[in-house]
Amino acid sequence: MSARIATVSRDTNETQITVSVNLDGKGRLRCETGVPFLDHMLDQVARHGMVDLDIDAKGDLHIDDHHTVEDLGITLGQAFHQAIGDKRGIYRYGHAYVPLDEALSRVVIDFSGRPGLYMNVDFTRDTIGRMDTQLFWEFFQGFVNHARVTLHIDNVKGFNAHHQAETIFKAFGRALRMAVAEDPRMAGQMPSTKGSL
């Protein structure tokens, strides 16, 4: 496989974001979003997904975090879509269960070309740090629509909202890692009976 890297920029009246991704990285993150808890979660994605992420994000944080979080999901999704190429030779599907103390989450992903987010999470708090927990849905919706993946996220249990979020993002990273990995038995083949994804 050729290098699976991409850089995407998004420039609007609300945000200016640049994301670089290397799907075959070492799990490194360089990130400045202005939203500290989101930075912490993106570190989980990079580390557990074994992808390198380089993210610069400037947004209208004086209003709130909404536009920055949503647009980062969009830009990250575009970068993944570009880096993955035509998807020949990848596993395509990925899944992970991740625990953290009392919390347990399951994430399943399919690089199907068909966007769909199914998120079943009842956060026990409205905010973690200063981050509104509703924004996690916005982040993943942006990612799904622009990476063109089907994504199922279930928080199976947990009463600590920080733990709930962290298990979700760690499981997301692990599922990504599995899905984008090269499958030696599928070398050069499209992982679909349709012949394209």
Side-chain angles (χ1 to χ4, degrees):
M1 262 185 198
S2 59
R4 300 187 301 165
I5 58 176
T7 298
V8 173
S9 293
R10 178 180 174 84
D11 191 354
T12 74
N13 291 334
E14 298 167 339
T15 62
Q16 299 80 47
I17 297 174
T18 298
V19 173
S20 295
V21 61
N22 178 355
L23 299 185
D24 302 301
K26 306 284 188 189
R28 298 181 183 134
L29 173 72
R30 194 196 66 75
C31 183
E32 295 179 23
T33 69
V35 185
F37 191 75
L38 180 61
D39 292 351
H40 179 45
M41 293 300 97
L42 292 168
D43 195 21
Q44 306 308 318
V45 175
R47 183 69 50 88
H48 296 281
M50 289 302 289
V51 296
D52 292 343
L53 297 175
D54 194 331
I55 298 169
D56 279 313
K58 294 177 179 61
D60 52 4
L61 300 178
H62 60 286
I63 296 174
D64 70 7
D65 297 342
H66 188 114
H67 299 140
T68 301
V69 175
E70 180 181 24
D71 286 6
L72 182 54
I74 290 169
T75 312
L76 185 65
Q78 290 171 338
F80 264 82
H81 178 70
Q82 198 174 108
I84 200 75
D86 69 3
K87 304 173 192 167
R88 289 183 185 277
I90 66 167
Y91 277 97
R92 174 182 165 179
Y93 304 100
H95 60 88
Y97 279 88
V98 170
L100 175 56
D101 297 342
E102 89 300 341
L104 175 67
S105 291
R106 174 184 61 226
V107 173
V108 183
I109 193 166
D110 176 11
F111 276 80
S112 60
R114 295 184 305 279
L117 175 62
Y118 307 91
M119 190 168 173
N120 182 24
V121 182
D122 185 15
F123 283 106
T124 58
R125 293 183 59 193
D126 293 334
T127 59
I128 305 171
R130 72 166 209 215
M131 187 169 175
D132 185 339
T133 54
Q134 290 182 331
L135 296 182
F136 295 119
W137 190 90
E138 299 293 342
F139 171 84
F140 286 115
Q141 185 67 63
F143 179 86
V144 160
N145 285 342
H146 293 271
R148 302 178 196 174
V149 299
T150 300
L151 181 65
H152 288 254
I153 299 172
D154 294 282
N155 176 236
V156 179
K157 61 177 72 172
F159 56 77
N160 181 301
H162 186 127
H163 293 172
Q164 289 176 292
E166 193 160 333
T167 56
I168 288 165
F169 277 84
K170 286 178 176 177
F172 178 58
R174 282 281 172 173
L176 283 171
R177 180 178 175 178
M178 181 185 293
V180 305
E182 297 178 44
D183 181 351
R185 296 182 66 196
M186 286 291 284
Q189 296 182 60
M190 185 63 65
S192 170
T193 56
K194 291 192 293 290
S196 68
L197 287 171

